[in-house]
Amino acid sequence: MRIIPAIDIIDGKCVRLSKGDYDTKKIYNENPLEVAKEFEDHGIQYLHLVDLDGAKSKHIVNHKVLEQIAAKTSLKIDFGGGLKTDEDLRIAFESGANQITGGSIAVKDEETFKSWITKFGNQKIILGADAQNEKIAVSGWLEESDKELIPFIQGYQREGITYVICTDISKDGMLEGPSFDLYSKILSQTSNLKLIASGGISTFDELPKLAELGCEGTIIGKAIYENRISLKQLENYILSKV
């Protein structure tokens, strides 16, 4: 299972929110590149970079941060937050994104999202399936849609999607543990899905459990920043799997 630390960006700074609420913003570092380099120094190869300004303004904003991290580390970056147009994608990929994540766009403009899968291929496009009570949420989680989570994922699998990041919003940033039951349910009702668990990771012991369920990766945010999980523990976990 891939270990994917998260860096969320507001005003070019590394922050975390609770349940996607911008009013709960906590700044952890003024310099995201510094954070990314520290991840890399501990053997981490992947990064989940979220442009929270972009999510709010519905177009890419913090691409300079992406560019800087991509140029000065060898991390494979998946980038998301407010990507709505072909131009946004062009900027993201030219700025060094390895993959992009589309969430709201996959709900609100299916044709555009499907065209991205066709144009860039399913190794480059990740479906962001963020859910509250198994209903898909959009627009930086400010809105709940009427779409059911698992049929939504299955529908996009038929379009060729293999990578899905699923965040249970009720868990995100709360450090209360991930949604094991939800991930188990998703994996039991899909096949050949590369499911990336996100939200709620609070202790190191949860990682082997997610791996056992069959998650392809897990995104860890606040647990790292609040020193609940040390980078040394993650380094040892990665080395033990080599």
Side-chain angles (χ1 to χ4, degrees):
M1 184 178 72
R2 291 185 302 134
I3 299 296
I4 313 166
I7 293 180
D8 291 0
I9 306 293
I10 291 180
D11 297 332
K13 295 169 187 165
C14 177
V15 306
R16 298 305 292 173
L17 309 180
S18 297
K19 296 186 181 178
D21 181 352
Y22 283 73
D23 292 336
T24 64
K25 177 180 83 174
K26 185 172 177 182
I27 296 170
Y28 284 97
N29 197 307
E30 304 269 333
N31 184 347
L33 175 60
E34 209 172 82
V35 179
K37 282 183 165 173
E38 201 180 346
F39 292 157
E40 187 178 40
D41 289 346
H42 285 84
I44 287 161
Q45 297 176 305
Y46 302 95
L47 178 67
H48 178 64
L49 187 63
V50 182
D51 181 359
L52 288 174
D53 293 314
K56 218 171 189 179
S57 52
K58 299 181 170 50
H59 61 85
I60 193 166
V61 174
N62 286 295
H63 52 91
K64 290 289 178 213
V65 176
L66 165 61
E67 202 171 76
Q68 204 182 21
I69 294 173
K72 296 188 174 169
T73 73
S74 60
L75 295 169
K76 295 182 183 75
I77 304 166
D78 83 74
F79 183 81
L83 302 174
K84 296 283 178 280
T85 63
D86 291 358
E87 177 65 5
D88 287 333
L89 250 67
R90 183 190 67 75
I91 294 168
F93 283 128
E94 282 184 5
S95 299
N98 190 54
Q99 295 176 301
I100 66 94
T101 301
S104 303
I105 183 97
V107 177
K108 295 187 163 185
D109 186 355
E110 292 181 21
E111 290 316 306
T112 294
F113 190 68
K114 286 175 187 174
S115 76
W116 293 351
I117 302 167
T118 305
K119 184 175 178 183
F120 297 100
N122 63 7
Q123 298 303 298
K124 291 285 182 189
I125 306 294
I126 303 171
L127 176 65
D130 301 333
Q132 183 93 281
N133 306 318
E134 293 192 38
K135 288 264 174 68
I136 292 290
V138 292
S139 302
W141 305 344
L142 302 172
E143 300 169 39
E144 196 177 279
S145 75
D146 57 358
K147 293 191 184 292
E148 298 282 343
L149 173 63
I150 292 175
F152 176 72
I153 292 172
Q154 291 167 332
Y156 272 114
Q157 275 198 292
R158 288 192 286 275
E159 299 295 332
I161 277 290
T162 55
Y163 285 95
V164 174
I165 293 174
C166 180
T167 306
D168 181 343
I169 294 165
S170 67
K171 300 278 190 183
D172 189 67
M174 302 312 290
L175 296 172
E176 291 167 357
S179 289
F180 293 113
D181 293 347
L182 179 63
Y183 299 136
S184 180
K185 190 173 175 182
I186 292 168
L187 287 163
S188 71
Q189 293 184 39
T190 56
S191 59
N192 302 320
L193 186 70
K194 292 183 174 175
L195 181 64
I196 299 164
S198 165
I201 311 292
S202 60
T203 67
F204 179 78
D205 299 343
E206 290 155 0
L207 301 180
K209 288 184 195 169
L210 288 168
E212 213 169 282
L213 280 182
C215 291
E216 190 270 341
T218 184
I219 291 171
I220 312 170
K222 197 176 268 188
I224 293 173
Y225 298 109
E226 298 278 346
N227 298 313
R228 302 286 191 95
I229 297 176
S230 72
L231 291 177
K232 192 71 196 159
Q233 281 177 303
L234 295 177
E235 185 175 4
N236 291 338
Y237 177 82
I238 293 163
L239 287 171
S240 74
K241 303 297 170 196
V242 173

